[in-house]
Amino acid sequence: MQSKSMKPSFLSRPLFATLFAILAGCGGGEGTATTLALAPADGSANALAQRAVAATIQQQIADGTVAPACPTATLGGFRCQMLILRRTELAPRTVGLNGRKLLGYGPSQLQGAYNIASAAKSNPGGLVALVESYGYPQLEGDLAVYRKEFGLPSCTRKNGCLQVVNQSGKPKPLPPANAGSDEEQALDVDMVSANCPNCHIRVVQTKASLYAAENVAASFDPVAISNSWGRSEYSTENLDKQSYFNHPGIAITAAAGDNGYGVIFPSSANTVTAVGGTTLKIAKNPRGFNETVWVGSGSGCSQYESVPSWQESIEGELGGCSNRIVADVAYDADPSTGVAIYDSLPGGFGGPGWQVVGGTSAGAPAIAAIYALSGNTSGIPASIAYANPSALFDITSGSNGSCSPPYLCTGEVGYDGPTGLGSPNGLGAF
């Protein structure tokens, strides 16, 4: 796999993009619960393409291939960016305790794919905070099952590795569970564990404001904060960014979305590392894996966020956007090449028990954990990848929709929207 170049040749960029079946977007305004939505009803070519994609999405959900963990938006119009694989025969295989065969990638495969196995084993890591909607009563016990299955060190309240607090930063009372909240939180704590087994984990659960919970998470001085949720951009997001997502010295990661081409907040914030998605397949090559753009990965040009200085040279070369471009980096997100998680609560599409899941919700906590392994989070950590693009695997094929210019939705040599500068190849870009 080739390493990223900062300035790809315009002539090397493919001039086509293909429509795929991807999950419909999270919509709605503050405090509005919304169902899966079709694309905006305007006459632009991109909107027409998105409506065609949306029609296909409904069929994909209807035929039972995937299911959204959070089919409706909550807490200010936000929705978790997680998909559950229902056709589990598509899933990769892994091996757990005593040779037990499980579906979905496990820690050893993920560490190997992203060249972090040595660091994950020896590095003490740091504190990773997770901002979550609602509660998950079985979180500690289910995390123990996951970590034991894959031979990871214990992470409990008793040994100080795990803490779960409410929106006031207190251990009690914790909010009640809500549909999808348990599966999302299981994914988040399992992905931190898989990528940084020695990291400490602080889970901030809220039934009120995710924004307020963000500042509570920052108050614990973590190395990184992960946000596996998002909503449509809105005109006052810059004010909220400054109030809640501007914490220099802390790596703030956010899922870029599972809706295909299009941008969501807070991944659009220019103070955040936006994590796009890939399809990660085992291959007979020196790396052992191939990666392409996952068709559901969010990407594009922000409507409201200004371009950060570290993206200016890319935009000067590629053009087509005068604002912040999404994503920055990427991680496995395709449910059909998804990860194994454990959630004992009944009622979800994939549970109870072991499940195979995907979505850019997998990448946000994984990249946060990789930042914790590096410990290199001075200033705005998103900029680090742009100074070290050769420490990433280039993703040069695949698409998440139809757009112009093509690099905003098509995998290319150098920067592209769906996967940013690429996926981790060790810790050098973090």
Side-chain angles (χ1 to χ4, degrees), residues 4-178:
K4 283 282 182 186
S5 165
M6 286 294 288
K7 292 189 176 182
S9 166
F10 178 82
L11 295 177
S12 71
R13 301 202 306 269
L15 299 179
F16 64 88
T18 306
L19 297 178
F20 293 93
I22 51 176
L23 183 64
C26 66
E30 291 294 331
T32 303
T34 58
T35 57
L36 296 174
L38 297 180
D42 63 59
S44 69
N46 284 346
L48 292 172
Q50 287 290 74
R51 286 203 293 276
V53 171
T56 306
I57 293 163
Q58 304 306 321
Q59 182 59 48
Q60 184 184 30
I61 295 172
D63 70 19
T65 301
V66 300
C70 306
T72 58
T74 59
L75 299 185
F78 290 96
R79 184 171 64 79
C80 72
Q81 304 299 306
M82 175 181 174
L83 296 171
I84 301 162
L85 183 65
R86 301 184 73 181
R87 290 186 56 196
T88 54
E89 73 274 12
L90 301 174
R93 270 59 174 171
T94 191
V95 177
L97 185 68
N98 299 323
R100 188 204 316 266
K101 294 181 180 179
L102 296 172
L103 299 176
Y105 288 133
S108 63
Q109 290 163 308
L110 295 171
Q111 293 171 19
Y114 295 113
N115 195 22
I116 60 169
S118 177
K121 182 178 180 180
S122 61
N123 195 307
L127 176 63
V128 176
L130 306 171
V131 176
E132 308 287 355
S133 299
Y134 298 100
Y136 176 15
Q138 275 69 42
L139 186 153
E140 184 173 11
D142 289 354
L143 177 60
V145 172
Y146 179 88
R147 294 177 74 103
K148 181 177 180 181
E149 186 70 39
F150 293 112
L152 305 180
S154 174
C155 187
T156 66
R157 288 179 173 94
K158 186 175 181 179
N159 68 17
C161 173
L162 175 69
Q163 294 187 55
V164 183
V165 300
N166 61 24
Q167 59 267 20
S168 298
K170 306 297 184 183
K172 293 180 180 180
L174 296 175
N178 187 61

Side-chain angles (χ1 to χ4, degrees), residues 129-133 184-185 188 202-206 209-218 225-229 245:
L130 306 171
V131 176
E132 308 287 355
S133 299
E184 176 58 60
Q185 292 182 54
D188 290 351
R202 182 74 53 93
V203 182
V204 182
Q205 299 176 337
T206 180
S209 168
L210 286 162
Y211 287 165
E214 192 78 16
N215 281 350
V216 170
I225 302 172
S226 171
N227 304 279
S228 290
W229 38 271
F245 297 93

Side-chain angles (χ1 to χ4, degrees), residues 118-404:
S118 177
K121 182 178 180 180
S122 61
N123 195 307
L127 176 63
V128 176
L130 306 171
V131 176
E132 308 287 355
S133 299
Y134 298 100
Y136 176 15
Q138 275 69 42
L139 186 153
E140 184 173 11
D142 289 354
L143 177 60
V145 172
Y146 179 88
R147 294 177 74 103
K148 181 177 180 181
E149 186 70 39
F150 293 112
L152 305 180
S154 174
C155 187
T156 66
R157 288 179 173 94
K158 186 175 181 179
N159 68 17
C161 173
L162 175 69
Q163 294 187 55
V164 183
V165 300
N166 61 24
Q167 59 267 20
S168 298
K170 306 297 184 183
K172 293 180 180 180
L174 296 175
N178 187 61
S181 65
D182 53 311
E183 290 168 312
E184 176 58 60
Q185 292 182 54
L187 171 61
D188 290 351
V189 295
D190 291 352
M191 285 303 95
V192 173
S193 300
N195 289 272
C196 184
N198 298 316
C199 276
H200 285 209
I201 303 172
R202 182 74 53 93
V203 182
V204 182
Q205 299 176 337
T206 180
K207 63 178 181 179
S209 168
L210 286 162
Y211 287 165
E214 192 78 16
N215 281 350
V216 170
S219 73
F220 293 115
D221 196 27
V223 178
I225 302 172
S226 171
N227 304 279
S228 290
W229 38 271
R231 58 153 291 177
S232 301
E233 288 200 281
Y234 54 99
S235 59
T236 58
E237 68 181 49
N238 267 294
L239 297 175
D240 290 330
K241 175 194 70 180
Q242 292 298 331
S243 297
Y244 304 105
F245 297 93
N246 187 20
H247 298 287
I250 298 175
I252 304 174
T253 65
D258 299 348
N259 317 314
Y261 176 63
V263 178
I264 62 173
F265 184 82
S267 67
S268 60
N270 55 20
T271 55
V272 165
T273 300
V275 184
T278 70
T279 296
L280 178 72
K281 292 185 177 181
I282 296 172
K284 293 182 179 179
N285 60 26
R287 181 187 174 191
F289 294 88
N290 279 328
E291 276 186 291
T292 57
V293 170
W294 174 50
V295 297
S297 179
S299 71
C301 180
S302 171
Q303 297 181 68
Y304 305 110
E305 297 284 338
S306 62
V307 59
S309 60
W310 50 90
Q311 285 189 335
E312 288 176 352
S313 63
I314 291 173
E315 293 200 9
E317 173 73 18
L318 301 179
C321 178
S322 59
N323 286 341
R324 156 86 153 128
I325 45 179
V326 173
D328 297 307
V329 295
Y331 193 92
D332 180 35
D334 188 340
S336 67
T337 63
V339 300
I341 69 165
Y342 186 81
D343 176 12
S344 66
L345 289 183
F349 288 107
W354 289 98
Q355 305 176 34
V356 182
V357 303
T360 50
S361 279
I367 295 298
I370 292 172
Y371 273 117
L373 286 177
S374 77
N376 182 19
T377 59
S378 60
I380 304 298
S383 66
I384 299 171
Y386 292 84
N388 300 279
S390 62
L392 294 154
F393 290 115
D394 195 355
I395 315 299
T396 60
S397 63
S399 174
N400 66 356
S402 178
C403 69
S404 180

